[in-house]
Structure formats: C-alpha cells, structure tokens
Amino acid sequence: TGELIRTFKGHKDEVWDVMFSPNGRLLASVGKDGAVKIWDAERKPCQDTVLRGVDSLGFNSDGCLIASSINSGMLAYNPKSLQLLSAQEYSDLGARSRYEPFLGNLFSDGHTAGLFVPAERKIELWDLRTHQLLCSVGSLERSVAFAPKSRLLATVTSNQTVTVWQLPGGWRRWLLTNSTPPLAFSPDGAMLVTEAEPGRSLRAWKIGGNTVRPETILYGQGMHQCSLAWSPDGRLLAVGTWEGTVCLLAMPAGRQVGVLVGHKRAVSSLAFSPDGKTLATISSDRTLRLWHIATHRELATFDERREDLVTTVSLSFSPDGSALAAERTWADGKGTRLWYAPSLAQIADAEAEPDSPWLGSGRSPSASRNHGDGKMSPSGKKTSAGL
C-alpha cells in the first residue's frame, strides 16, 4: 500500500545500506557517519515514552524500574511494558508528608529505601518487605554517596564535613573534613570522590580496612564539575562540567585521558552502560547523547522538546543495558522518560540464524557480537541500538 509504518532516526549523515535479519525482527543500517545501528523492527511507535508524575529512582537487581510518587509511594514498573508491578505506600513507613525519597534500591536486593527527612536533617533506611526501620543517620541534604559492596553511606553532616556510615547498623566510621558534598564511591567501594574546591576540583579518598586517607586532587581541562559517574570496572571517572564538556579521568591517578565535546550547556547527569563501553549524558541544552568510550566518538543525539527546570537529573541504565531512564522536571510537572534498545541477546539471536546474511560478509556470528555494545535509543519512533 506504500503506507508509512515507522521511521527510525539516529544517523547523523546519509544512510548507505540497510538489511533485515532473517527472522525480520531486527533491521541493520550503516551510514556515512561511520555508525552501524541495530533497530527493533517489530516495535510499534510509542505515542508517549514518559511516566508522568513519578520520579525515577533507578533499577533494582531484578531489572524493575523503581519510581516515587507523592500520592502512591514507592512504585515498581516493568521497564518495557510500563506495567505497574507493585506499590509501597509511604503511610506504611510513617507520615509520608515528611519524606523525600531519593535512593529507591539502596542495597543490591532492591528492597531497601532511603528516605530523606528534611525537617529532622536525617536519612532513614527502611526495609520495604517488613516495613521496618533499619537505621537513621544524620544528613543536612539528600545528596549522598553509597557503596553497595562495602555498604558504606556518605552524607553531609556539617559545613565542609562528610561522615561515612557503616550500614545497615548506621554507625559512624569516619569524618572527612574540608570536603563536601560526597559525590560517588568507586564500584568496589575502595575510593570516594568529594569536592575539594567547590565547582573547580575533586578530592579522591582511598579506603582500606579501617583507614581512609586523601589520595589525590583531581583536575580537568576547563573542569567546573556538576556531575560524575564511575565506569563499572572503576578504572575511569567521567566528569560532566558546567561548560558542557565531559572529562574522562584515568583512576586512581586522575590523569585526563579524553574530553567529550558536544553539549552546549551544563551536563546534568551521566551513566555508564553495564558493559562500560557506552556513556549516556544528559544536558540542560535539551539533548541526551551517547558516547563510545573507546574512541571518544559521539554515537547519537536525541533532542528533548522541553527544558528541565532543575539541573539535577537522575540517569540510569537497567542491569541488562536495554533500558535507560531519566528523571525529568518540566514546567507542567515531573516525569520519567525511557529509552530502549534491542538487548545483546536479541542481536545475538538474529545473527545466529543459519542463513544469516551476516555470515556472508566474512564475519562469524561471534565476531559480530563482539561489536554489539548495546547502545541505547529512544523507543517508538526512535528505537535503535548502535554497534
């Protein structure tokens, strides 16, 4: 009939060739921009990829999207279908009006919530299964850092002072002076990054056994940081700046190994894909960008129609890397926007077809899979994954 079914957007220049997988579920494209992309050919365009009225708190170990709603409490969604799986009312945990949820799945079990109580300047940790209060620790603000493996929580307890707490008991381990706020623990919990000089430099603290000591001062070219993220292996620290660049620092030395240039305004949040090959960044310039870490190349840019009212935007990948969620604050309220990509398993399944044309190119299915980085893409009209 010649009817337009859907359009895939993502290449930055001419598209040179396209090909379906034998089972018809995936579409591959290669462009003049040097990118090869995998698109989910079966997914129908989604009219709205936003969960309205909820704040994204991240993904739990089961891959469920954890969100917060003032009226409904703590919510768990299937990130693909957006079906509500469970709801935990704040009234089960006390007077919900005094809480500001911010962590969602604090522990790897996905059942522990962190709730900030601004009136009492403290953080409460609750077990969502038993409705029991685990502990309460002091905090002047909701900006915290958490180390899942070592179960350490860092909070701001006074001017220029960070306290590191041991969980779940909530007893004080260390006081870090002349550094605030805490920004992020390394994945293994052996290092904590705080601000040294507000907006201009970072301090890395080395944690080992019962001791903690300042390791190094981190600087970057033109780095006036406003966000950061550790790579999954802990070897790289990505720092988003107010100028719109992203500085890549090799850790623990803090040596700058690259600068990602593309955003026009401050980089609000960053997130590494679970395999560490892709970095997602979101900015107040109304764009979300994907970067290939090995080459420092920009993979794709996705435009937002509306500008955020705040610069603090949470950004997180699902455990399998197939979904990316961003908490947004617009003039008409809060919401969570989701982007999707075919999983590596889907790509591998399509490549493994006996008569796959991929095999005719002189590359084995395993060789093709080695290039599958599981890049993120918007759902619906922009459903893609880069290779």
Side-chain angles (χ1 to χ4, degrees):
T1 63
E3 177 188 0
L4 177 63
I5 299 176
R6 63 198 61 130
T7 302
F8 301 108
K9 298 180 181 180
H11 283 289
K12 301 178 69 175
D13 210 318
E14 299 173 26
V15 177
W16 282 349
D17 199 10
V18 294
M19 181 176 289
F20 280 97
S21 63
N23 58 21
R25 294 198 295 266
L26 299 177
L27 175 68
S29 63
V30 60
K32 185 179 179 180
D33 56 7
V36 177
K37 295 181 178 291
I38 296 291
W39 314 82
D40 187 346
E42 292 185 328
R43 188 186 297 276
K44 295 181 179 179
C46 183
Q47 298 302 315
D48 193 355
T49 60
V50 176
L51 284 169
R52 298 189 179 277
V54 301
D55 297 335
S56 169
L57 302 177
F59 293 87
N60 66 14
S61 56
D62 297 327
C64 298
L65 175 65
I66 306 299
S68 168
S69 169
I70 295 178
N71 298 323
S72 302
M74 201 77 70
L75 310 172
Y77 290 91
N78 180 317
K80 297 296 179 63
S81 66
L82 302 186
Q83 177 186 359
L84 180 63
L85 302 177
S86 65
Q88 177 72 62
E89 293 186 3
Y90 292 135
S91 57
D92 295 336
L93 309 179
R96 66 184 179 187
S97 60
R98 64 192 181 106
Y99 288 132
E100 291 184 14
F102 65 99
L103 283 177
N105 55 312
L106 185 60
F107 293 159
S108 58
D109 59 19
H111 298 293
T112 306
L115 303 175
F116 178 52
V117 190
E120 301 178 29
R121 294 186 173 184
K122 67 179 181 180
I123 289 174
E124 294 181 353
L125 303 180
W126 288 84
D127 188 318
L128 297 180
R129 296 164 298 181
T130 63
H131 304 171
Q132 295 297 311
L133 176 66
L134 299 175
C135 69
S136 175
V137 301
S139 182
L140 299 183
E141 55 186 71
R142 67 199 296 262
S143 297
V144 303
F146 175 65
K149 289 187 178 180
S150 53
R151 293 196 171 186
L152 297 174
L153 181 68
T155 69
V156 178
T157 50
S158 66
N159 185 32
Q160 294 295 307
T161 301
V162 170
T163 300
V164 179
W165 312 86
Q166 184 67 62
L167 303 179
W171 53 277
R172 184 184 291 109
R173 290 290 299 272
W174 303 288
L175 289 177
L176 312 180
T177 58
N178 298 321
S179 287
T180 187
L183 298 175
F185 281 96
S186 60
D188 60 3
M191 189 168 289
L192 171 65
V193 176
T194 65
E195 280 195 346
E197 185 181 0
R200 293 184 177 273
S201 63
L202 304 171
R203 175 176 283 113
W205 300 81
K206 181 67 174 178
I207 300 172
N210 293 320
T211 63
V212 59
R213 58 181 174 82
E215 178 77 3
T216 185
I217 297 293
L218 309 177
Y219 293 96
Q221 180 180 352
M223 189 176 74
H224 295 76
Q225 80 279 351
C226 61
S227 57
L228 60 83
W230 286 88
S231 63
D233 61 7
R235 300 173 62 182
L236 201 63
L237 186 68
V239 181
T241 72
W242 289 103
E243 292 80 8
T245 59
V246 177
C247 298
L248 302 178
L249 307 178
M251 300 299 291
R255 177 174 56 90
Q256 184 168 297
V257 294
V259 178
L260 309 180
V261 180
H263 285 295
K264 306 302 182 184
R265 295 169 66 181
V267 178
S268 308
S269 184
L270 311 93
F272 278 93
S273 60
D275 61 10
K277 297 179 180 180
T278 306
L279 179 70
T281 61
I282 197 166
S283 167
S284 54
D285 64 4
R286 302 188 188 184
T287 66
L288 178 136
R289 299 172 191 258
L290 300 174
W291 309 85
H292 187 230
I293 292 301
T295 61
H296 301 170
R297 291 184 57 183
E298 182 181 324
L299 296 169
T301 300
F302 304 115
D303 297 323
E304 284 288 332
R305 295 186 301 274
R306 294 171 290 176
E307 185 173 356
D308 289 292
L309 295 183
V310 297
T311 58
T312 54
V313 179
S314 70
L315 193 63
S316 57
F317 278 92
S318 61
D320 64 358
S322 65
L324 178 65
E327 171 197 343
R328 313 300 301 273
T329 302
W330 300 295
D332 58 352
K334 290 187 175 182
T336 294
R337 183 174 290 280
L338 289 153
W339 292 265
Y340 304 94
S343 67
L344 294 179
Q346 289 175 297
I347 295 174
D349 178 61
E351 291 177 337
E353 294 288 336
D355 299 325
S356 173
W358 296 80
L359 303 182
S361 63
R363 293 167 54 192
S364 67
S366 60
S368 298
R369 287 194 293 272
N370 287 338
H371 290 266
D373 292 340
K375 303 302 184 298
M376 294 307 311
S377 60
S379 66
K381 296 182 180 180
K382 298 181 181 178
T383 308
S384 68
L387 280 179

